[in-house]
Amino acid sequence: MASRHKEVKDWPYAVKTLVTGIVGGLFWSLIWYLAYFFNFTTVGPALFWMAWSVGDWKEQPVGQWTAIGILSLVSIIITFLYRYILARVRGMWMGIFFGAILWFLIFFVANPFIIGLEPLFDMEGTTIVTTLCLFILYGLFIGYSISYEHELQQYESS
Amino acid sequence: MSKTIEHSEKTLTRSIKKNEKIFNDRLNIDASFDVGVRKLWVLGKELQLYFVNSLSDEVIATQVLRELMALEKFDTKTDSLRYSLDDQVKNHLAHIQVDQTDKVDDCIFHLLSGLIFVLIDGESEAFIVDVRQYPGREPQEPDTERVTRGSRDGYTENIIENAGLTRRRVRDEHLRNEIIQIGERSHTDIVISYVNGITDPDLVAVIKKELENIKVDSLTMADKVVEEYIVNQGWNPFPLVRYTERPDVAATHLLEGHVLVMVDTSPTVIILPTTFFHHVQHAEEFRQSTAVGTFLRWIRFIGLLAAIFIVPLWLLLVLQPDMIPEVIDYVGPSDDSNVPIFAQMLIGEFGVELIRMAAIHTSAPLGTALGFVAALLVGEIAIDVGLLTAEVILYVALGAVGIFASPSHEMGVALKMVRILFILATGLFMSYGYVIAITIVIILMAQMKPLNKPYLWPFLPFDPKGMWQILARVGVPNMRLRPRIVDPKDPVRQSKS
């Protein structure tokens, strides 16, 4: 049996982290766009472009779609950060907390630097709730996946 | 059982009269019509045959009796030199499964399972012969898991047949069928099946421990009771184990590293451990080509997602028309109704559920009448009198049909409850309710860990390969690894050729 194990191998941890990051970013920014489409939130994934002044197209569907693409890539970096800093924390609650922190950093701390984003206290309630929920679920997705994988790797190596 | 009954006589004696008294005291043979004793004299000694005629096969029992009676014809002098009477009787019990015991409890347990036992005067051991035959049905195609192609046999109420149906598909020497009896009064047989060397031994140990800790008096409701002991359900509506009536599904899971728990008298077996996504797959997909299987699966996924999310979303858009995107601004009821839409929705949901429940308990001839009443009276007339708007009926029906597409009945009902929760949250708290309710339900589902396996795996925590096998019906030649969720000891299903 030992020889068979060499032939068929599961993906290494790094590849899994990468795929988790890209899928997490893609999936949740698609949901974000969907929420934007149904007016749950006044800011869509195109929030990414708002840090730069790049013309009107950023609010159009093409701006949203390119933002979704770029957010998927940014998500890889976030995932690797999570892996190196927080992967040891077991369970899913750290992920939820991580998502909430991420939301706080973007919507409150970085808020003044993002052109076209209203101050947090002027925003509509639904926008706040929807984006916060999305970031929490995104954080849960990334955090739980990475820490569970970490747990399994440790279990399998022991 | 609150108080254990202690009996003074634990072992058989050499005197047949004393033995007879022991059994008479405990079983009160005269009181029950189906428990009996047949006495006969062979070679000058008394033999007693105890039986339960409702559970044993009389043809085989008669055959055994005839052989014993034939002993009389033998030349007693020469034969008795060679063998004792004890051995002679044993030699003439014409059956493959014959056991010897001197314990009264064993005799009674086997007798009440449908076996017969033979007492011989002067011997302190009884012979137990397996002549049981239980009333039951032939394997039939299970009603709830029909396929267009594939085997039509399904599990029955007989645990021996069920074990046989499984073993017929897994001729592996490593397949283990461990049997235990649970229920202090019912003594129900429970079989734990697993493939040694694939299944995680810790998982088997945990399940066995949970089973052995069951101290209930009876398991007349069979596997559902066992499930409640193995996984802590609480008020959680989601099914934490998967039931199947199909031996091919069970055998597939066995070889993936799952554990089966079969309970006698139940035509379903429990597959452990299970996750949410086990409940949205169906054997039919694996009987079709990969493309067709994937297509079927996606239709089901879209139906389920629509049933859960679109119905409350529509309600939200009606309640908050400013949220409707321009492209679909035609959404919303065109005709006015006296009843608020939120109330209509709840009435509709209640009605559909009521009809569904009624349909289950209705016999086939009355079913047509029920359908007629449901479709025509409730649907048509409710619109005509202005109680419900047509669009509400449409969305409630969409929700109902989407749920019916779920292959697991338990999952369907749980998802329906989740949808009603979403509708309530939306009706009461508008968009806040909708978004927060969805988030909370996802978090609550993610934190469920029956048998220490995350319930939403492979979506949460994310497992790329596992998720791919959920999204697409992968061809069997490409499934090289067993799912990681079961911690298989031999993770490789097939090596590369």
Side-chain angles (χ1 to χ4, degrees):
Chain A
M1 295 240 180
S3 61
R4 282 173 64 191
H5 285 235
K6 274 175 204 152
E7 294 173 40
V8 190
K9 258 205 155 169
D10 208 4
W11 290 351
Y13 192 9
V15 179
K16 280 194 174 166
T17 314
L18 186 111
V19 176
T20 306
I22 201 162
V23 172
L26 186 68
F27 181 77
W28 292 108
S29 38
L30 280 175
I31 301 285
W32 191 358
Y33 190 30
L34 202 67
Y36 174 75
F37 178 77
F38 281 105
N39 297 313
F40 280 98
T41 157
T42 50
V43 284
L47 176 70
F48 177 81
W49 293 121
M50 290 186 183
W52 295 274
S53 187
V54 284
D56 283 342
W57 60 272
K58 66 187 181 191
E59 280 291 331
Q60 318 259 301
V62 60
Q64 304 281 2
W65 285 110
T66 43
I68 289 173
I70 292 172
L71 284 181
S72 310
L73 298 179
V74 172
S75 168
I76 297 175
I77 302 168
I78 297 174
T79 313
F80 271 97
L81 274 178
Y82 193 96
R83 177 184 157 183
Y84 287 116
I85 301 168
L86 295 166
R88 272 171 215 86
V89 186
R90 280 194 174 197
M92 54 178 261
W93 298 105
M94 195 52 176
I96 291 176
F97 189 64
F98 176 74
I101 294 283
L102 211 59
W103 178 86
F104 183 76
L105 284 178
I106 293 171
F107 282 80
F108 187 75
V109 178
N111 192 310
F113 305 102
I114 302 176
I115 305 151
L117 187 64
E118 305 166 275
L120 190 60
F121 300 106
D122 297 344
M123 266 187 219
E124 267 184 61
T126 4
T127 305
I128 297 178
V129 168
T130 308
T131 48
L132 181 59
C133 282
L134 273 171
F135 272 78
I136 283 179
L137 289 178
Y138 170 75
L140 170 68
F141 185 90
I142 296 294
Y144 196 14
S145 306
I146 295 301
S147 77
Y148 188 72
E149 186 62 40
H150 183 80
E151 210 178 304
L152 279 188
Q153 298 273 348
Q154 283 197 326
Y155 174 77
E156 277 165 17
S157 65
S158 69
Chain B
M1 200 161 18
S2 51
K3 73 176 180 203
T4 40
I5 303 159
E6 285 291 329
H7 294 286
S8 52
E9 307 289 349
K10 286 201 190 307
T11 50
L12 294 169
T13 60
R14 283 189 171 275
S15 152
I16 199 155
K17 290 291 163 222
K18 273 188 191 162
N19 289 341
E20 192 181 350
K21 190 177 178 314
I22 294 172
F23 289 113
N24 250 327
D25 287 349
R26 285 186 60 175
L27 293 164
N28 202 353
I29 290 171
D30 295 334
S32 305
F33 80 95
D34 54 349
V35 184
V37 54
R38 167 82 165 90
K39 296 176 185 174
L40 64 158
W41 282 263
V42 174
L43 303 175
K45 291 226 175 154
E46 186 178 354
L47 256 62
Q48 292 186 350
L49 231 117
Y50 289 80
F51 59 87
V52 174
N53 62 16
S54 49
L55 295 175
S56 48
D57 187 339
E58 277 171 26
V59 178
I60 302 175
T62 313
Q63 200 66 36
V64 171
L65 266 182
R66 190 167 286 151
E67 275 291 318
L68 286 177
M69 289 162 176
L71 273 175
E72 280 286 297
K73 293 178 195 154
F74 285 83
D75 183 357
T76 51
K77 285 198 178 117
T78 51
D79 257 8
S80 60
L81 287 177
R82 273 193 291 161
Y83 303 114
S84 64
L85 175 65
D86 193 29
D87 285 335
Q88 287 190 47
V89 170
K90 191 178 180 181
N91 281 346
H92 281 82
L93 287 171
H95 200 278
I96 50 168
Q97 236 174 304
V98 178
D99 279 332
Q100 249 172 309
T101 183
D102 62 344
K103 293 194 179 61
V104 176
D105 282 337
D106 278 2
C107 291
I108 288 181
F109 168 71
H110 284 114
L111 175 71
L112 296 177
S113 310
L115 287 73
I116 55 175
F117 67 88
V118 185
L119 295 179
I120 307 164
D121 192 14
E123 298 294 336
S124 62
E125 287 207 322
F127 293 111
I128 297 172
V129 189
D130 191 347
V131 296
R132 72 184 119 183
Q133 189 192 41
Y134 293 158
R137 59 186 172 112
E138 291 284 294
Q140 286 162 335
E141 182 172 23
D143 244 352
T144 48
E145 288 171 280
R146 288 181 180 281
V147 290
T148 51
R149 297 260 180 275
S151 59
R152 309 263 179 226
D153 51 352
Y155 285 125
T156 66
E157 283 76 8
N158 186 329
I159 199 166
I160 310 284
E161 269 176 35
N162 291 354
L165 284 169
T166 318
R167 203 179 268 283
R168 223 166 97 63
R169 287 169 169 81
V170 187
R171 271 186 193 153
D172 187 356
E173 62 186 275
H174 301 291
L175 173 62
R176 301 281 178 271
N177 283 330
E178 294 187 22
I179 196 162
I180 51 174
Q181 275 88 33
I182 290 175
E184 315 231 325
R185 280 186 190 279
S186 67
H187 297 287
T188 311
D189 288 329
I190 294 187
V191 167
I192 310 158
S193 295
Y194 59 93
V195 181
N196 197 18
I198 297 179
T199 312
D200 180 14
D202 297 341
L203 180 69
V204 179
V206 166
I207 293 170
K208 262 198 245 171
K209 197 172 143 252
E210 294 286 340
L211 288 177
E212 277 156 13
N213 283 339
I214 301 179
K215 290 280 174 275
V216 74
D217 62 342
S218 80
L219 287 177
T220 39
M221 282 295 159
D223 42 3
K224 182 64 199 163
V225 183
V226 174
E227 178 208 320
E228 283 173 23
Y229 281 99
I230 297 177
V231 287
N232 278 326
Q233 184 94 32
W235 284 97
N236 181 351
F238 285 96
L240 302 182
V241 304
R242 183 178 174 192
Y243 290 100
T244 188
E245 290 186 52
R246 298 188 58 87
D248 48 357
V249 172
T252 309
H253 281 88
L254 214 48
L255 289 173
E256 274 184 357
H258 291 260
V259 177
L260 299 184
V261 177
M262 305 180 191
V263 182
D264 198 18
T265 71
S266 169
T268 48
V269 305
I270 299 175
I271 300 173
L272 293 167
T274 25
T275 67
F276 177 83
F277 291 99
H278 278 111
H279 294 274
V280 292
Q281 301 181 39
H282 196 273
E284 174 76 14
E285 293 148 11
F286 289 90
R287 290 286 179 184
Q288 304 288 346
S289 69
T290 48
V292 175
T294 308
F295 172 72
L296 293 177
R297 204 176 270 185
W298 271 87
I299 295 289
R300 178 177 312 125
F301 286 162
I302 293 170
L304 284 175
L305 287 176
I308 304 162
F309 293 114
I310 293 203
V311 180
L313 180 65
W314 176 80
L315 175 66
L316 178 64
L317 295 183
V318 173
L319 296 177
Q320 284 192 322
D322 54 317
M323 286 182 77
I324 303 178
E326 276 173 35
V327 242
I328 52 163
D329 56 0
Y330 48 82
V331 167
S334 42
D335 45 346
D336 283 329
S337 165
N338 305 323
V339 186
I341 294 286
F342 179 41
Q344 288 189 26
M345 211 83 224
L346 291 180
I347 294 170
E349 285 288 341
F350 174 74
V352 168
E353 192 54 23
L354 198 64
I355 292 166
R356 191 190 65 84
M357 246 173 68
I360 293 178
H361 305 306
T362 315
S363 60
L366 295 176
T368 329
L370 177 77
F372 181 73
V373 171
L376 207 72
L377 299 188
V378 181
E380 283 281 334
I381 312 290
I383 298 174
D384 285 349
V385 298
L387 201 61
L388 299 182
T389 50
E391 231 179 322
V392 168
I393 304 257
L394 168 71
Y395 282 96
V396 167
L398 170 77
V401 173
I403 292 294
F404 283 138
S406 152
S408 151
H409 172 249
E410 291 91 352
M411 183 54 81
V413 180
L415 290 178
K416 191 190 305 263
M417 286 171 71
V418 168
R419 180 179 68 220
I420 291 175
L421 176 81
F422 288 169
I423 290 175
L424 283 175
T426 309
L428 296 175
F429 305 106
M430 305 290 168
S431 52
Y432 296 104
Y434 185 68
V435 173
I436 293 176
I438 290 175
T439 309
I440 289 178
V441 166
I442 293 178
I443 292 176
L444 286 181
M445 281 174 77
Q447 61 92 38
M448 281 158 57
K449 275 189 127 182
L451 288 173
N452 213 19
K453 309 291 176 196
Y455 194 55
L456 285 182
W457 190 93
F459 173 65
L460 242 181
F462 186 66
D463 183 280
K465 284 191 172 175
M467 196 67 214
W468 175 245
Q469 291 190 1
I470 299 290
L471 291 180
R473 199 292 251 175
V474 180
V476 175
N478 293 325
M479 292 203 268
R480 301 211 176 274
L481 296 171
R482 299 198 163 87
R484 265 176 106 202
I485 188 76
V486 293
D487 285 329
K489 289 304 112 189
D490 176 19
V492 181
R493 201 197 295 249
Q494 55 183 333
S495 48
K496 281 177 188 157
S497 53

